[in-house]
């Protein structure tokens, strides 16, 4: 291996030939050479990665440039956090690790929140950050953007690697890919020091050092006895329930999951990002009877869903327990790829460990044709509850108050999504999130992308960019005005790449609502409110997109229909009643408030 002593002027790394990246022109005497830049790109391409989300700067500027020259799609953001969220949701949508590329220290830290969020949500993602000179960093001698990034990333991701030599790039990227997508998916950090990129390697040796990962997410077949145990439990149930989580959506086993639900006749409840796995209008959906089915069910089969806070840890009053920590008496079957997940909160009577595709097909095989449907009184009670809630909702949606509120605005969004079931829906906020989740039906799998396990604000524009880029479909982003602010500058990115994204801000002038005042009567506003009457739509116009202010459902409908038809970047500032929201939305109970007034 030839190595270059002065990375600033790599004699063996002349300009890239117009046709080929991954190869550096050789003169008559010397062998054909390549370098770290090209090996990173070649390794990603070899593994089917075609898109990078990132933000250029020292030391990865040339990497972004050369990646684009090599035919990779490089989507350049205004802030690394948004690039990171984009990468993570691309991973969720495609089962391939989404790549986020950042500069060192501050850029790396900006991307790190998204990496941690990806790990928490089980999204496969690789954060690749350039880093400063190892020797200087390790001696803490004050390098440009000095930081021990590997050590900082480690506790926040599934795996973290550093590559010091160009001939190890192939292994580094292969390990990162495998770690991100195998088993429970998650975030991986890959540290690439500045010195690595210009290191020269003989092209042939470089090529040979690359690894095309074979079977990166191997199937994990569940044990037959585990499947039998689960089926026995399910067979004996009088009030069975299936709970579908975003792991089930990720698994892309859509037809088998639907077959399992339909052949057993068991009512199901989709977690937020599992909505649409079966159409929300499916007669077995118990979504509109949630607070009835959770405590009433006797056997619950979790498929790709954890019994975390979103499911009240499987116990307490939500599940019919007497006290806030008491078990409600349910038996649980848990289908999950992680062997450690079972018993995290309550006893799991029948863990089925394996990938959801293999597990569900094994369950289907065990069910056979003659499976008895659940008792009619259980199905009848759910239907009654559901119909009542749906009717109540229909009544609320039919109202047309002035000013517009969450319901009258979301009634429009509900129609637009129904008419465009292939559109991607991104959603964040508190009330803006909760109302959208229950009002807007989803019809197809993996179309709803939201704040996930952490309830994190800031995913909006990053998710929207990735959703548009990866799917080619129109994107509708339903945003609280606070939520939008976390990533709002990316409307420039949306315009720059001319993406078919329609952002709708449900603008109530604040966090949760906009009518709070400073109790002292002082000049500063309440910490929870924003500039009243803010003209968010002008942000989109500033970059050449379409901005619309909508104060009625009719205006909102027209703006959204135009946006979908034209595929032009659009931002609709949907002005709603500033007193319409509830503090913390549906999770008020988690919000401690001072006893002393
Ligand atoms: O059964 P019942 O009767 O209970 O009724 C239920 C269903 O049966 C029924 N339903 C239906 N009825 C009729 N028809 C249909 N189709 C139907 N479907 C359902 O409706 C109800 C509700 O159903 P649901 O939603 O399924 O049930 P429930 O009980 O709510 O489910 C429980 C949960 C926990 C699963 C669910 O609530 C959930 O998924 N919640 C997620 C909550 C969440 O993650 N929230 C976001 C975080 S809030 C807070 O943290 C915010 N911050 C702080 C902050 C954050 N997060 N991040 C960062 C980086 N920094 C700071 C901030 C700053 S939110 C926020 C901004 C807020 O302001 P915005 O301006 O952005 O937003 P606005 O609030 O709009 O102003
Ligand atoms: P939700 O928030 O929708 O309830 P969670 O993120 O809590 O979903 O749970 C997702 C679960 O799915 C995780 O426990 C994860 O291990 C699991 N999972 C992810 N992908 C797969 C897969 N392909 N096969 C099996 N389980 C999976
Ligand atoms: Mg708001």
């Amino acid at each position: 291996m030839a190595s270059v002593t002065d990375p600033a002027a790599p004699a063996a790394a002349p300009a890239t030939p117009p046709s080929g990246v991954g190869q550096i022109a050789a003169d008559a005497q010397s062998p054909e050479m390549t370098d770290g830049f090209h090996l990173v790109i070649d390794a990603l391409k070899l593994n089917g990665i075609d898109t990078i989300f990132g933000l250029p700067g020292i030391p990865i500027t040339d990497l972004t440039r050369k990646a684009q020259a090599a035919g990779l799609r490089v989507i350049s953001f205004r802030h690394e956090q948004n690039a990171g969220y984009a990468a993570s949701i691309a991973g969720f949508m495609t089962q391939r690790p989404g790549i986020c590329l950042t500069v060192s220290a501050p850029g790396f830290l900006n991307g790190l929140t998204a990496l941690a969020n990806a790990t928490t949500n089980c999204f496969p993602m690789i954060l690749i950050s350039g880093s400063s000179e190892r020797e200087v960093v390790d001696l803490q001698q004050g390098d440009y953007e000095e930081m021990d990034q590997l050590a900082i990333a480690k506790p926040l991701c599934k795996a973290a690697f550093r590559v010091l030599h160009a001939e190890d790039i192939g292994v580094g990227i292969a390990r990162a890919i495998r770690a991100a997508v195998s088993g429970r998916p998650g975030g991986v950090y890959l540290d690439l020091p500045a010195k690595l990129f210009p290191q020269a390697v003989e092209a042939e040796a470089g090529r040979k050092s690359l690894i095309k990962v074979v079977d990166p997410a191997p199937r994990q077949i569940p044990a037959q006895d585990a499947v039998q145990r689960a089926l026995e439990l399910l067979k004996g149930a009088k009030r069975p329930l299936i709970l579908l989580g975003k792991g089930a959506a990720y698994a892309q086993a859509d037809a088998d999951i639907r077959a399992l639900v339909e052949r057993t006749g068991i009512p199901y409840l989709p977690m937020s990002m599992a909505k649409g796995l079966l159409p929300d209008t499916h007669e077995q959906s118990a979504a509109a009877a949630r607070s009835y089915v959770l405590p009433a069910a006797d056997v619950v089969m979790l498929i790709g869903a954890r019994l975390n806070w979103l499911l009240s840890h499987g116990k307490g009053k939500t599940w019919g327990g007497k006290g806030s920590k008491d078990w409600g008496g349910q038996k649980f079957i848990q289908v999950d790829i992680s062997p450690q997940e079972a018993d995290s909160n309550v006893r799991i009577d029948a863990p089925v460990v394996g990938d959801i595709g293999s597990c569900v097909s094994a369950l289907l095989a065990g069910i056979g044709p003659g499976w008895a449907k659940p008792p009619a009184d259980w199905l009848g009670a759910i239907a009654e509850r559901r119909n009542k809630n749906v009717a109540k909702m229909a009544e609320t949606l039919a109202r047309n108050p002035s000013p517009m509120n969450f319901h009258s605005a979301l009634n429009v969004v509900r129609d637009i999504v129904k008419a465009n079931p292939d559109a991607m829906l991104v959603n964040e906020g508190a009330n803006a999130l909760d109302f959208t989740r229950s009002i807007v039906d989803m019809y197809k799998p993996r179309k709803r992308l939201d704040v996930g396990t952490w309830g994190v604000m800031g995913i909006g524009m990053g998710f929207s960019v990735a959703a548009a880029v990866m799917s080619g479909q129109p994107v509708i982003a339903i945003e609280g005005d606070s939520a939008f602010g976390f990533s709002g500058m990316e409307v420039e990115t949306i315009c720059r790449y001319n993406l078919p994204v329609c952002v709708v801000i449900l603008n109530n002038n604040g966090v949760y609502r906009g009518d709070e005042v400073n109790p002292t009567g002082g000049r500063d506003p309440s910490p929870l409110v924003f500039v009243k009457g803010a003209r968010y739509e002008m942000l989109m116009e500033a970059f050449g997109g379409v901005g619309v202010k909508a104060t009625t459902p009719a205006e909102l409908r027209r703006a959204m229909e135009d946006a979908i038809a034209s595929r032009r970047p659009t931002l609709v500032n949907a002005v709603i009643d500033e007193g319409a929201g509830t503090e913390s939305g549906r999770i008020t109970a988690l919000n401690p408030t001072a006893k002393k007034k």
Side-chain angles (χ1 to χ4, degrees):
M1 199 230 29
S3 97
V4 179
T5 43
D6 177 6
T16 312
S19 60
V21 172
Q23 296 186 356
I24 289 182
D27 61 32
Q29 293 85 28
S30 57
E32 192 192 344
M33 301 297 285
T34 187
D35 63 12
F37 285 112
H38 295 92
L39 287 171
V40 171
I41 293 161
D42 292 347
L44 292 173
K45 285 182 75 173
L46 184 67
N47 284 289
I49 286 162
D50 55 13
T51 308
I52 293 177
F53 304 93
L55 201 159
I58 299 169
I60 50 103
T61 311
D62 222 19
L63 186 59
T64 59
R65 194 182 279 134
K66 288 193 161 52
Q68 187 173 56
L72 283 167
R73 187 135 198 230
V74 182
I75 307 291
S76 189
F77 283 72
R78 305 300 295 260
H79 190 291
E80 290 89 349
Q81 188 175 105
N82 306 318
Y85 286 139
S88 69
I89 209 65
F92 170 77
M93 290 168 67
T94 62
Q95 296 184 329
R96 289 209 183 123
I99 307 292
C100 174
L101 181 62
T102 79
V103 304
S104 16
F108 155 78
L109 287 174
N110 284 347
L112 200 55
T113 310
L115 185 71
N117 187 62
T119 308
T120 301
N121 281 279
C122 316
F123 299 157
M125 159 184 179
I126 304 173
L127 174 66
I128 303 180
S129 295
S131 57
S132 300
E133 204 175 324
R134 279 257 44 86
E135 294 83 341
V136 185
V137 172
D138 286 349
L139 277 170
Q140 297 172 36
Q141 293 174 304
D143 205 359
Y144 167 73
E145 297 195 345
E146 176 181 293
M147 177 172 276
D148 187 0
Q149 296 168 196
L150 189 73
I152 289 165
K154 257 184 194 159
L156 299 172
C157 59
K158 238 184 115 177
F161 306 102
R162 174 157 51 226
V163 181
L164 292 177
H165 303 291
E167 65 266 43
D168 292 332
I169 285 171
V171 171
I173 288 189
R175 297 210 70 191
I177 291 173
R178 226 176 243 296
V181 296
S182 61
R184 172 182 277 177
V188 174
Y189 175 60
L190 186 62
D191 193 87
L192 302 183
K195 267 191 178 175
L196 176 79
F197 296 111
Q199 277 179 25
V201 180
E202 282 187 17
E204 180 57 15
R207 254 190 301 275
K208 284 190 182 147
S209 71
L210 301 185
I211 296 174
K212 184 170 166 52
V213 179
V214 176
D215 197 9
R219 291 177 63 196
Q220 296 191 19
I221 315 293
Q224 204 45 48
D225 58 337
V227 173
Q228 273 317 317
R229 192 184 300 122
L231 287 174
E232 290 302 319
L233 197 53
L234 208 54
K235 211 173 269 174
K238 297 208 164 30
R239 296 179 306 282
L241 177 68
I242 293 176
L243 248 160
L244 300 173
K246 59 173 139 21
Y250 174 80
Q252 299 193 14
D254 309 336
D256 274 358
I257 289 173
R258 185 168 184 153
L260 181 70
V261 171
E262 290 182 342
R263 278 172 48 190
T264 58
I266 298 175
Y268 73 95
L269 200 57
M271 298 300 287
S272 195
M273 281 177 61
K275 275 166 72 77
L277 208 40
L278 287 85
D280 278 338
T281 46
H282 196 283
E283 62 171 354
Q284 284 171 255
S285 170
R290 188 180 199 271
S291 61
Y292 171 70
V293 290
L294 291 182
D298 63 350
V299 175
V300 178
M301 178 152 74
L302 301 153
I303 305 181
R306 287 170 284 187
L307 282 176
N308 56 15
W309 71 277
L310 288 152
L311 285 168
S312 307
H313 306 283
K315 56 193 170 193
K317 295 200 168 141
T318 306
W319 293 88
K322 277 201 192 78
S324 65
K325 299 236 167 190
D326 291 336
W327 177 50
Q330 288 81 6
K331 302 230 178 244
F332 287 102
I333 299 162
Q334 185 159 33
V335 179
D336 204 289
I337 202 153
S338 164
Q340 295 173 355
E341 184 53 38
D343 306 327
S344 305
N345 285 284
V346 290
R347 184 178 62 230
I348 301 296
D349 300 275
V352 182
V353 175
D355 70 277
I356 284 170
S358 301
C359 293
V360 172
S361 86
L363 288 163
L364 271 173
I367 277 165
W371 184 272
K373 299 265 155 141
D377 56 349
W378 173 233
L379 300 182
I382 296 173
E384 192 190 322
R385 195 52 90 97
R386 187 185 59 216
N387 295 343
K388 207 191 284 170
N389 272 350
V390 168
K392 209 164 83 192
M393 171 85 84
E395 214 175 276
T396 317
L397 292 177
R399 289 192 202 118
N400 190 3
S402 179
M404 194 156 62
N405 65 8
F406 285 104
H407 287 92
S408 57
L410 287 168
N411 189 35
V412 172
V413 178
R414 176 184 162 99
D415 289 348
I416 302 272
V417 170
K418 187 174 182 186
N420 299 277
D422 286 313
M424 305 293 302
L425 185 82
V426 173
N427 188 201
E428 60 176 338
N431 297 281
L433 174 89
D434 293 335
F435 284 122
T436 306
R437 188 178 59 247
S438 54
I439 293 172
V440 178
D441 290 329
M442 304 305 298
Y443 298 87
K444 297 202 174 177
R446 291 171 297 284
K447 295 292 182 187
R448 189 186 149 85
L449 312 174
D450 69 27
V451 300
T453 307
W454 265 351
V456 67
M457 298 298 110
I459 48 88
M461 297 305 103
F463 275 19
S464 296
V465 168
V469 166
M470 303 312 286
S471 75
Q473 296 292 340
V475 178
I476 298 167
I478 306 299
E479 300 276 311
D481 51 330
S482 164
F484 173 75
F486 288 73
S487 65
M489 191 62 202
E490 303 298 345
V491 296
E492 189 277 330
T493 309
I494 290 168
C495 289
R496 186 162 20 105
Y497 292 95
N498 194 23
L499 299 173
V501 176
C502 173
V503 182
V504 176
I505 299 181
L506 297 177
N507 183 7
N508 59 359
N509 292 342
V511 178
Y512 311 133
R513 49 197 290 151
D515 56 357
E516 197 156 306
V517 292
N518 179 342
T520 69
R523 270 190 308 178
D524 286 349
S526 150
L528 289 133
V529 304
F530 301 134
V531 167
K532 291 200 189 296
R535 302 290 304 276
Y536 290 104
E537 72 280 12
M538 293 168 84
L539 262 177
M540 191 59 109
E541 287 171 351
F543 303 108
V546 178
V548 182
K549 180 179 170 193
T551 56
T552 63
E555 287 169 0
L556 175 59
R557 189 180 300 272
R558 200 171 320 118
M560 291 188 75
E561 282 173 354
D562 287 353
I564 302 263
S566 71
R567 294 177 65 94
R568 287 189 63 194
T570 300
L571 191 153
V572 188
N573 179 11
V575 180
I576 59 167
D577 183 355
E578 67 172 9
T582 306
E583 181 155 334
S584 304
R586 298 272 306 170
I587 54 173
T588 306
L590 298 179
N591 183 37
T593 49
K595 293 228 168 12
K596 186 168 173 235
K597 297 289 172 206

